[in-house]
Amino acid sequence: MDPDLATELFESLGLDALLPEPLAAWRPLLAEGMAFFLGRLPETRLGAIVTEQLALAESASAAARATALLAHCPTLHKLGQVVARQPGLDAELRRHLQALESLPANVEADTLHRQIAAELGADHGLHLADRALAEGSVAVVLPFSWRQGGRSHEGVLKALKPGIADRLGEELAILPALGDFLEGRGAELGLPAIDYRSHLAAAGRLLVQEIRLDREQANLRAAAALLVDDADVFVPTLLPWCTPALTAMERIDGPKLSDAALSTHESRRLGRALVGGLLARPFWSCSEDSPFHGDLHGGNLLLAPDGRVAVLDWSLVARLSKAEREALVEVALAALALDPSRITAGLAGLGLRDSRSTAIGATVERALDTLVRSGRPLGFDWLVGLLDALALQGASGFGEQLAVFRKSWLSLAGVLGDLGGGHDTDLPLLGLGLQRFTAEWPARLLAPADSRAFSTHVSTADLLRAAADAWPAGLRYWLRLLGHGH
C-alpha cells in the first residue's frame, strides 16, 4: 500500500487521534505502521475488516470506525484497551475504546458448550448458560451454575475464543518485519531512534501469556494470597473445574467500577484501596513473587454487591524483582536530592543502556525542571513520566516486567481519573511505604548499615545520605527556580 494513501486512509478512521497533540510528529508513523500491519494479514481477515467498515453507517464517527477495526485483531484490541483511559486522548475516542474492555459476545453458545465438554467431559454436571456474558481480546466468559448442599451456586467459565491462537500467531509473525519498517521509516521522519523490534518482540511474549489460562490461574492464587486480608479489594475464588484451557471462578454480579453510582466519599475510599492493594502492597514487599496486575483497564474492576472491588483477569502480571524496586527507590531518592548523575546511575540499575548519552542526560534534566516547577511532592507519577520520556528518546534496556509495571500504573491512574473525586495515585502508595518504614525501625537497629533487606528497599546508610543531601538539595531547588525566572 502506498504510504501517502495509507496515511490518508487511517487518518480518516481517526487513528491519528490515538496520539495527542504533543505527539503529533508521530502520527504519520502510526498511520503507516497500521497500514503495514493490516496489509500483511491474511486476505480473508483483511476482507472482513473492510466489509465491516463498509457496513457501518455513513454517519459513524471516526472514533467508532477505529474501535471497530481494533476489535478484529487481538494485538490491536489490547492496544485499544491500554489507551482507552489515557486522559490526553479525545473524549469521544476514549468512550468508544472503553467498549473494547468488555464486548458483547459474538461466539455462539453451542460452540462454547462443545469446547467445554471437550475439556471437562460430557458428564461435567454443570448447567451452562444459553448466552455468553461478554468477551475480551482473547477470551469469552460463559455463566454456569451447579447444585451443592441443596443450594444452587453460580460461577463463570473463561474460555479462549475459537481460533484465537491462530489469529494471534498470524499477528505475532508480522511483528519482526513491522519493527524493521518502523525503525527505517522513523529515521526518515526524523523521529528518535527506538528499538521497535525489541519492544514488539517483548509485547509479543506478553501477549502469548494472555492465552495461557493455566498460568493465569497460578497468578490468581498468588494475588488472592496477597489480598487475603484486604477489606476492600479481592480476587474471585477459583472453582474446581479449571483446566489449562478453561478457568472456572465465582461469578461477581456487579457493574464495572467506572459505571457504578458512587458518592465522592466512596469513590475516594475505593480509589485509595485499589492503589493500596494492587500497587502499594506488592511494591512495599520483601517478596520476589508479589504480582502487579498488568491489565488494569475498567472492564477488569467490578463493584461486588458487598461494596468491595473484584479484580479480574490476571493473565498478565509483572513481578518486579526486589533489586528493581530498590533501583526505583534509589532513583526517587536521587530525584529528591535533585542529583541527575545519581538518577542516571539508578536508571542503569534498572537496565538502562547508554545512560551517559547526551539525550538521556537532557531528558533527566527536563524531568527535574518539571518536578521543581510543579511544586508537587515527588511521587511515582513523576517516576513513570520519566521512564516514558526516556522511552520516547529511544532509551533501551528496561526489562519487560518494568514495562508491565508502568502500564499497570498508568492504566489504574486512568481508571481512577474517570471515577472523579480528585484521586491521587501517589498518596496511598507513599502512605503504606511510611507505615512499613515505621515498623522497620527495631529491625534496622540490628541490621548492617548498608543492608536493604527491608520492604521499603532502603538501607540506613541510604537514609543518612538522604538527610545529608537535604541542605544541598534545597540550594539546588532554588537555583533551578531562579534559572526559570520564578
Side-chain angles (χ1 to χ4, degrees):
M1 184 179 293
D2 179 78
D4 292 334
L5 180 60
T7 301
E8 181 180 348
L9 170 61
F10 291 107
E11 282 183 354
S12 73
L13 294 178
L15 295 181
D16 59 329
L18 287 170
L19 295 181
E21 190 59 35
L23 299 176
W26 298 78
R27 289 172 178 168
L29 187 63
L30 171 66
E32 294 175 30
M34 288 289 292
F36 185 97
F37 176 85
L38 293 171
R40 281 155 181 77
L41 290 176
E43 289 187 9
T44 52
R45 291 185 61 190
L46 187 57
I49 292 172
V50 173
T51 299
E52 183 183 50
Q53 291 290 323
L54 293 174
L56 291 173
E58 288 187 18
S59 58
S61 68
R65 290 184 178 279
T67 303
L69 186 156
L70 299 183
H72 274 274
C73 304
T75 51
L76 302 183
H77 191 150
K78 184 58 61 181
L79 169 67
Q81 290 177 338
V82 168
V83 304
R85 296 185 183 272
Q86 298 305 303
L89 297 183
D90 173 78
E92 184 189 6
L93 180 62
R94 291 176 62 214
R95 179 173 60 81
H96 280 284
L97 291 177
Q98 286 165 19
L100 294 172
E101 294 172 350
S102 183
L103 292 170
N106 287 322
V107 181
E108 294 289 339
D110 288 345
T111 301
L112 289 174
H113 289 188
R114 289 192 296 271
Q115 193 172 328
I116 292 165
E119 281 294 308
L120 301 179
D123 57 348
H124 51 65
L126 304 178
H127 177 71
L128 304 178
D130 293 331
R131 293 185 61 185
L133 193 60
E135 68 177 60
S137 56
V138 301
V140 61
V141 176
L142 183 75
F144 73 96
S145 62
W146 79 100
R147 295 195 64 81
Q148 183 177 353
R151 295 178 53 219
S152 179
H153 304 267
E154 293 190 341
V156 292
L157 289 165
K158 177 180 177 180
L160 295 178
K161 293 159 72 171
I164 192 66
D166 291 338
R167 292 201 298 278
L168 184 58
E170 291 166 353
E171 296 174 24
L172 295 182
I174 299 170
L175 298 187
L178 176 61
D180 292 339
F181 170 79
L182 293 174
E183 289 179 16
R185 184 66 180 126
E188 292 172 2
L189 292 169
L191 299 172
I194 292 177
D195 186 0
Y196 292 103
R197 189 180 179 99
S198 294
H199 287 309
L200 289 172
R205 288 191 292 272
L206 294 173
L207 281 166
V208 169
Q209 292 185 27
E210 299 258 351
I211 60 174
R212 288 289 307 276
L213 298 188
D214 54 340
R215 185 171 295 177
E216 182 193 14
Q217 292 155 24
N219 294 338
L220 281 161
R221 294 185 185 97
L226 178 71
L227 298 171
V228 66
D229 59 349
D230 196 298
D232 297 304
V233 182
F234 73 103
V235 176
T237 303
L238 287 173
L239 298 174
W241 299 279
C242 292
T243 74
L246 203 63
T247 296
M249 67 180 74
E250 66 172 309
R251 181 174 183 178
I252 307 301
D253 189 14
K256 291 197 296 185
L257 181 63
S258 54
D259 293 339
L262 297 173
S263 67
T264 300
H265 171 74
E266 280 297 288
S267 174
R268 287 177 176 166
R269 181 182 69 81
L270 292 177
R272 288 193 298 269
L274 285 169
V275 176
L278 300 178
L279 293 174
R281 277 178 182 258
F283 190 89
W284 303 119
S285 166
C286 286
S287 171
E288 291 282 356
D289 194 39
S290 293
F292 294 89
H293 194 296
D295 201 10
L296 285 175
H297 61 69
N300 287 337
L301 300 170
L302 300 185
L303 184 64
D306 62 4
R308 296 184 298 160
V309 178
V311 187
L312 313 180
D313 192 357
W314 289 79
S315 56
L316 182 60
V317 303
R319 284 184 167 86
L320 287 184
S321 69
K322 190 171 188 309
E324 288 174 308
R325 284 174 275 159
E326 289 173 2
L328 282 169
V329 174
E330 170 59 23
V331 171
L333 291 176
L336 282 174
L338 298 178
D339 188 334
S341 63
R342 280 178 56 199
I343 291 175
T344 54
L347 293 169
L350 290 168
L352 177 67
R353 294 193 288 270
D354 302 322
S355 59
R356 297 183 181 274
S357 77
T358 302
I360 288 175
T363 301
V364 170
E365 289 286 352
R366 284 194 297 272
L368 286 176
D369 286 342
T370 300
L371 176 64
V372 168
R373 291 197 305 269
S374 73
R376 296 188 58 194
L378 173 72
F380 272 64
D381 276 338
W382 180 86
L383 275 173
V384 172
L386 172 60
L387 295 174
D388 286 341
L390 289 168
L392 284 175
Q393 289 300 320
S396 60
F398 295 128
E400 292 172 22
Q401 300 303 309
L402 184 61
V404 176
F405 173 76
R406 288 163 56 203
K407 173 180 178 295
S408 181
W409 178 271
L410 293 169
S411 297
L412 183 56
V415 170
L416 297 184
D418 286 346
L419 286 177
H423 294 285
D424 190 321
T425 44
D426 278 322
L427 291 180
L429 182 66
L430 297 176
L432 183 58
L434 288 173
Q435 291 177 27
R436 297 285 169 83
F437 176 70
T438 302
E440 289 171 355
W441 272 108
R444 284 187 181 277
L445 297 176
L446 302 175
D450 61 352
S451 172
R452 289 178 172 172
F454 303 101
S455 61
T456 51
H457 315 304
V458 292
S459 68
T460 302
D462 293 328
L463 297 173
L464 292 173
R465 183 179 184 181
D469 281 337
W471 187 87
L475 180 60
R476 296 186 193 108
Y477 176 85
W478 287 110
L479 288 173
R480 281 184 180 267
L481 275 183
L482 291 171
H484 288 281
H486 290 267

Coordinates of all heavy atoms in Angstrom, one line a residue, residues 34-82:
M34 N 0.2 1.1 10.9 CA -1.0 0.3 10.9 C -1.3 -0.2 9.5 O -1.7 -1.4 9.4 CB -2.2 1.3 11.3 CG -2.2 1.6 12.8 SD -2.6 0.2 13.8 CE -4.3 0.0 13.4
A35 N -1.0 0.6 8.5 CA -1.2 0.1 7.1 C -0.3 -1.1 6.8 O -0.7 -2.1 6.2 CB -0.9 1.2 6.1
F36 N 0.9 -1.1 7.3 CA 1.9 -2.2 7.1 C 1.4 -3.4 7.8 O 1.4 -4.5 7.2 CB 3.2 -1.7 7.7 CG 4.3 -2.7 7.5 CD1 5.2 -2.6 6.4 CD2 4.5 -3.8 8.3 CE1 6.3 -3.5 6.2 CE2 5.5 -4.7 8.2 CZ 6.4 -4.6 7.1
F37 N 0.9 -3.3 9.0 CA 0.4 -4.4 9.8 C -0.8 -5.0 9.2 O -0.8 -6.3 8.9 CB 0.1 -3.9 11.2 CG -0.5 -5.0 12.1 CD1 0.3 -5.9 12.8 CD2 -1.9 -5.1 12.3 CE1 -0.2 -6.9 13.6 CE2 -2.4 -6.1 13.1 CZ -1.6 -7.0 13.8
L38 N -1.8 -4.2 8.9 CA -3.1 -4.8 8.3 C -2.9 -5.4 6.9 O -3.5 -6.3 6.6 CB -4.1 -3.7 8.3 CG -4.6 -3.2 9.7 CD1 -5.5 -2.0 9.6 CD2 -5.3 -4.3 10.5
G39 N -2.0 -4.7 6.2 CA -1.8 -5.2 4.8 C -1.1 -6.6 4.8 O -1.1 -7.2 3.7
R40 N -0.6 -7.1 5.9 CA 0.1 -8.4 5.9 C -0.8 -9.4 6.6 O -0.3 -10.6 6.8 CB 1.5 -8.2 6.5 CG 2.5 -7.7 5.6 CD 3.6 -7.0 6.2 NE 4.5 -6.4 5.2 CZ 4.3 -5.4 4.4 NH1 3.2 -4.7 4.6 NH2 5.1 -4.9 3.5
L41 N -2.0 -9.1 7.0 CA -2.9 -10.1 7.5 C -3.4 -11.0 6.3 O -3.4 -10.5 5.2 CB -4.1 -9.4 8.2 CG -3.9 -8.7 9.5 CD1 -5.1 -8.0 9.9 CD2 -3.4 -9.7 10.5
P42 N -3.8 -12.2 6.6 CA -4.5 -13.0 5.5 C -5.6 -12.3 4.9 O -6.3 -11.5 5.5 CB -4.9 -14.2 6.3 CG -4.0 -14.3 7.5 CD -3.7 -12.9 7.9
E43 N -5.8 -12.5 3.6 CA -6.8 -11.7 2.8 C -8.2 -11.9 3.4 O -9.0 -10.9 3.4 CB -6.8 -12.2 1.4 CG -5.6 -11.7 0.6 CD -5.7 -12.0 -0.9 OE1 -6.8 -12.4 -1.3 OE2 -4.7 -11.9 -1.6
T44 N -8.5 -13.1 3.9 CA -9.9 -13.3 4.5 C -10.1 -12.4 5.7 O -11.2 -11.8 5.9 CB -10.1 -14.7 4.9 OG1 -9.0 -15.1 5.8 CG2 -10.1 -15.7 3.7
R45 N -9.1 -12.2 6.5 CA -9.3 -11.4 7.7 C -9.3 -9.9 7.3 O -10.1 -9.1 7.9 CB -8.1 -11.6 8.7 CG -8.2 -13.0 9.4 CD -7.1 -13.1 10.4 NE -7.3 -12.1 11.5 CZ -6.4 -11.9 12.4 NH1 -5.2 -12.5 12.4 NH2 -6.6 -11.0 13.4
L46 N -8.5 -9.5 6.4 CA -8.5 -8.1 6.0 C -9.8 -7.8 5.3 O -10.4 -6.7 5.4 CB -7.3 -7.8 5.0 CG -7.1 -6.4 4.6 CD1 -6.9 -5.5 5.8 CD2 -5.9 -6.2 3.7
G47 N -10.3 -8.8 4.5 CA -11.6 -8.6 3.8 C -12.7 -8.4 4.8 O -13.6 -7.6 4.6
A48 N -12.7 -9.1 5.9 CA -13.7 -9.0 7.0 C -13.7 -7.6 7.6 O -14.7 -7.0 7.9 CB -13.6 -10.1 8.0
I49 N -12.5 -7.1 7.8 CA -12.3 -5.7 8.3 C -12.9 -4.7 7.4 O -13.7 -3.8 7.8 CB -10.9 -5.4 8.6 CG1 -10.4 -6.3 9.8 CG2 -10.7 -3.9 9.0 CD1 -8.9 -6.2 10.0
V50 N -12.6 -4.8 6.1 CA -13.1 -3.8 5.1 C -14.6 -4.0 5.0 O -15.3 -2.9 4.9 CB -12.4 -4.1 3.8 CG1 -13.0 -3.2 2.7 CG2 -10.9 -3.8 3.9
T51 N -15.1 -5.2 5.0 CA -16.6 -5.4 4.8 C -17.3 -4.7 6.0 O -18.3 -4.1 5.8 CB -16.9 -6.9 4.8 OG1 -16.3 -7.5 3.7 CG2 -18.4 -7.1 4.7
E52 N -16.8 -4.9 7.2 CA -17.5 -4.3 8.4 C -17.4 -2.7 8.3 O -18.4 -2.1 8.6 CB -16.8 -4.7 9.7 CG -17.5 -4.1 10.9 CD -16.9 -4.5 12.2 OE1 -15.6 -4.3 12.3 OE2 -17.6 -4.9 13.1
Q53 N -16.3 -2.2 7.8 CA -16.2 -0.7 7.7 C -17.2 -0.2 6.6 O -17.9 0.8 6.9 CB -14.8 -0.3 7.2 CG -13.7 -0.5 8.3 CD -13.8 0.5 9.4 OE1 -14.2 1.6 9.2 NE2 -13.6 0.0 10.6
L54 N -17.4 -1.0 5.6 CA -18.4 -0.6 4.5 C -19.8 -0.7 5.1 O -20.7 0.1 4.6 CB -18.2 -1.4 3.3 CG -16.9 -1.2 2.5 CD1 -16.8 -2.2 1.4 CD2 -16.8 0.2 2.0
A55 N -20.0 -1.6 6.0 CA -21.4 -1.8 6.5 C -21.8 -0.8 7.6 O -23.0 -0.6 7.9 CB -21.5 -3.2 7.1
L56 N -20.8 -0.1 8.1 CA -21.1 0.9 9.1 C -21.9 2.1 8.5 O -21.7 2.4 7.3 CB -19.9 1.5 9.8 CG -19.1 0.5 10.7 CD1 -17.8 1.1 11.1 CD2 -19.9 0.1 11.9
A57 N -22.7 2.7 9.3 CA -23.5 3.9 8.7 C -22.5 5.0 8.3 O -21.5 5.2 8.9 CB -24.5 4.4 9.8
E58 N -23.0 5.7 7.3 CA -22.1 6.8 6.8 C -21.9 7.8 7.9 O -20.9 8.5 7.9 CB -22.8 7.5 5.6 CG -22.8 6.7 4.3 CD -23.3 7.5 3.1 OE1 -23.4 8.8 3.3 OE2 -23.7 6.9 2.1
S59 N -22.8 7.9 8.9 CA -22.7 8.9 9.9 C -21.8 8.4 11.1 O -21.5 9.1 12.0 CB -24.1 9.2 10.5 OG -24.7 8.0 11.0
A60 N -21.3 7.1 11.0 CA -20.4 6.6 12.0 C -19.2 7.5 12.2 O -18.5 7.9 11.2 CB -20.0 5.2 11.7
S61 N -18.8 7.8 13.4 CA -17.7 8.7 13.7 C -16.4 8.0 13.4 O -16.3 6.8 13.3 CB -17.8 9.2 15.1 OG -17.5 8.1 16.0
A62 N -15.3 8.8 13.3 CA -14.0 8.2 13.1 C -13.6 7.4 14.3 O -13.0 6.3 14.2 CB -13.0 9.4 12.9
A63 N -14.0 7.8 15.5 CA -13.7 7.0 16.7 C -14.4 5.6 16.7 O -13.8 4.6 17.0 CB -14.1 7.8 18.0
A64 N -15.7 5.6 16.2 CA -16.4 4.3 16.2 C -15.7 3.4 15.1 O -15.6 2.2 15.3 CB -17.8 4.6 15.8
R65 N -15.3 4.0 14.0 CA -14.7 3.2 13.0 C -13.3 2.6 13.4 O -13.0 1.5 13.2 CB -14.5 4.0 11.7 CG -15.8 4.3 11.0 CD -15.6 5.1 9.7 NE -16.9 5.3 9.0 CZ -17.5 4.4 8.3 NH1 -16.9 3.2 8.1 NH2 -18.6 4.7 7.7
A66 N -12.6 3.4 14.1 CA -11.3 3.0 14.7 C -11.5 1.9 15.6 O -10.7 0.9 15.6 CB -10.5 4.1 15.3
T67 N -12.5 2.0 16.5 CA -12.7 0.9 17.5 C -13.1 -0.4 16.9 O -12.7 -1.4 17.3 CB -13.8 1.4 18.5 OG1 -13.3 2.7 19.1 CG2 -14.0 0.4 19.6
A68 N -14.0 -0.3 15.9 CA -14.4 -1.5 15.2 C -13.2 -2.2 14.5 O -13.1 -3.4 14.5 CB -15.5 -1.1 14.1
L69 N -12.3 -1.4 14.0 CA -11.1 -2.0 13.4 C -10.3 -2.8 14.4 O -9.8 -3.9 14.2 CB -10.3 -0.9 12.7 CG -9.1 -1.3 11.9 CD1 -8.8 -0.3 10.8 CD2 -7.8 -1.5 12.7
L70 N -10.0 -2.1 15.6 CA -9.2 -2.7 16.6 C -9.7 -4.0 17.1 O -9.0 -4.9 17.5 CB -9.0 -1.7 17.8 CG -8.3 -0.3 17.4 CD1 -8.2 0.5 18.7 CD2 -7.0 -0.5 16.8
A71 N -11.1 -4.1 17.2 CA -11.7 -5.3 17.8 C -11.4 -6.5 16.9 O -11.6 -7.7 17.4 CB -13.2 -5.1 17.9
H72 N -11.0 -6.4 15.7 CA -10.8 -7.6 14.8 C -9.4 -8.3 15.1 O -9.3 -9.4 14.7 CB -10.8 -7.2 13.4 CG -12.2 -7.1 12.8 ND1 -12.7 -8.2 12.2 CD2 -13.0 -6.1 12.6 CE1 -13.9 -7.9 11.8 NE2 -14.2 -6.6 12.0
C73 N -8.5 -7.6 15.8 CA -7.2 -8.2 15.9 C -6.8 -8.2 17.4 O -6.8 -7.1 18.1 CB -6.1 -7.3 15.2 SG -6.5 -7.2 13.4
P74 N -6.4 -9.3 18.0 CA -6.1 -9.3 19.4 C -5.0 -8.4 19.8 O -5.1 -7.8 20.9 CB -5.8 -10.8 19.7 CG -5.6 -11.4 18.4 CD -6.4 -10.7 17.4
T75 N -4.0 -8.2 19.0 CA -2.9 -7.3 19.4 C -3.5 -5.9 19.4 O -3.1 -5.1 20.3 CB -1.8 -7.4 18.4 OG1 -2.3 -7.3 17.0 CG2 -1.1 -8.7 18.5
L76 N -4.3 -5.5 18.4 CA -4.8 -4.1 18.3 C -5.9 -3.9 19.4 O -6.0 -2.8 19.9 CB -5.3 -3.8 16.9 CG -4.4 -3.9 15.8 CD1 -5.0 -3.5 14.4 CD2 -3.1 -3.1 16.0
H77 N -6.7 -5.0 19.6 CA -7.7 -4.9 20.7 C -7.0 -4.6 22.0 O -7.5 -3.7 22.7 CB -8.4 -6.3 20.7 CG -9.6 -6.3 21.6 ND1 -10.7 -7.1 21.3 CD2 -10.0 -5.6 22.7 CE1 -11.6 -7.0 22.2 NE2 -11.2 -6.1 23.1
K78 N -5.9 -5.2 22.3 CA -5.2 -5.0 23.5 C -4.7 -3.5 23.6 O -4.8 -2.9 24.6 CB -4.1 -6.0 23.7 CG -3.3 -5.9 25.0 CD -4.3 -6.0 26.2 CE -4.9 -7.4 26.3 NZ -5.8 -7.5 27.4
L79 N -4.2 -3.1 22.4 CA -3.7 -1.7 22.4 C -4.9 -0.7 22.7 O -4.7 0.2 23.5 CB -3.2 -1.4 21.0 CG -2.9 0.1 20.7 CD1 -1.8 0.6 21.5 CD2 -2.6 0.3 19.2
G80 N -6.0 -1.0 22.2 CA -7.2 -0.1 22.4 C -7.6 -0.1 23.9 O -7.9 0.9 24.5
Q81 N -7.5 -1.3 24.5 CA -7.8 -1.4 26.0 C -6.8 -0.6 26.8 O -7.1 0.1 27.8 CB -7.8 -2.8 26.4 CG -9.0 -3.6 25.9 CD -8.9 -5.1 26.3 OE1 -7.8 -5.6 26.7 NE2 -10.0 -5.8 26.4
V82 N -5.5 -0.7 26.4 CA -4.5 0.0 27.1 C -4.7 1.5 27.1 O -4.5 2.2 28.1 CB -3.1 -0.4 26.6 CG1 -2.0 0.5 27.1 CG2 -2.8 -1.8 26.9

